[in-house]
Amino acid sequence: MTDSELTADRARRAGVWPLIHAERAALAADLADLTDERWAIRSLCDDLTVREVLAHLTSGASLNSVRWLAGVIRCRFDFDKQVAMRLAEQLGANPAETLERFRRIVPSTTKPPLPALAMLGETVVHAEDIRRPLGIRRDHPIEVVTRVAEYYHGTDLVVLAKGRIGGLRLVANDGHFTTGSGPLVFGSTVALVMAMTGRAAYCDDLEGDGVGLLRERCGQA
């Protein structure tokens, strides 16, 4: 890679962090007045509660590559165990402490050995894992969710996405994102992002002949 290409690459990566920080700040604001009962609602992420998913986001923004690798070794390369361990570290004694810990990492640029775009994706997707069961809606900037969609459609890193949408044509109705060929899946960019990362609930927001197959694949992951 030439010097000019390196400079351009750094600029692209640096441009992602303000988007991550804005998404974190918006989530913190949305959760400011939750009752204890609502913190215990089950999220869309595995069997985690809303509070636990927020702690997971905090842990991801608190782990640099060295600490991440140390945790992987400590957990004997059991990545699920590492995630659970780091989540527990950030949960705190009560929901107020969980939220305060998250607020502290809003401006963080610390990350595990992942691309910054993966961190943006994690932030958007897990925030929706939290918001949807709570009945909270965010009108995401189309630039943000389009960048996330363009990242996920080409990778299975961290979460299966590329493999899940194989043989399908995804088309956004609110932006310029489109990918693939085959039976059509049509809807908002955020719904496409959430469905391609395995959230079957968002298939209810999509249309087209390919939605049934995508929903089936969400259930298989």
Side-chain angles (χ1 to χ4, degrees), residues 1-7:
M1 187 177 286
T2 65
D3 288 345
S4 62
E5 288 171 334
L6 282 170
T7 299

Side-chain angles (χ1 to χ4, degrees), residues 25-186:
L27 180 59
D30 283 345
L31 302 180
D33 298 319
L34 285 192
T35 63
D36 286 353
E37 291 77 15
R38 281 164 67 76
W39 278 107
I41 288 174
R42 183 176 174 178
S43 76
L44 297 184
C45 183
D46 301 323
D47 293 320
L48 301 181
T49 65
V50 162
R51 182 182 168 201
E52 288 168 335
V53 174
L54 193 69
H56 172 62
L57 281 172
T58 303
S59 70
S62 306
L63 279 179
N64 59 24
S65 296
V66 173
R67 289 195 68 227
W68 177 86
L69 181 58
V72 168
I73 294 170
R74 177 179 172 186
C75 294
R76 299 186 179 184
F77 293 87
D78 183 331
F79 294 99
D80 290 338
K81 184 176 180 180
Q82 145 103 327
V83 168
M85 178 183 74
R86 296 306 189 188
L87 184 161
E89 290 175 353
Q90 300 297 339
L91 195 60
N94 51 55
E97 188 172 340
T98 307
L99 180 57
E100 181 55 32
R101 291 183 179 199
F102 180 73
R103 284 179 174 141
R104 287 184 206 142
I105 60 85
V106 165
S108 171
T109 56
T110 300
K111 66 179 183 66
L114 295 170
L117 270 173
M119 294 296 288
L120 178 61
E122 286 270 293
T123 305
V124 169
V125 169
H126 285 317
E128 288 302 302
D129 285 338
I130 289 170
R131 287 189 179 102
R132 180 124 177 169
L134 293 173
I136 297 171
R137 176 180 172 81
R138 170 165 168 75
D139 291 323
H140 294 275
I142 194 63
E143 172 201 1
V144 172
V145 287
T146 298
R147 291 188 73 169
V148 171
E150 289 173 345
Y151 169 73
Y152 277 129
H153 95 272
T155 183
D156 287 326
L157 180 68
V158 181
V159 60
L160 179 70
K162 179 181 178 181
R164 183 174 283 115
I165 61 173
L168 297 172
R169 181 176 175 233
L170 275 58
V171 178
N173 63 8
D174 57 354
H176 64 261
F177 175 71
T178 180
T179 188
S181 61
L184 177 66
V185 178
F186 179 75

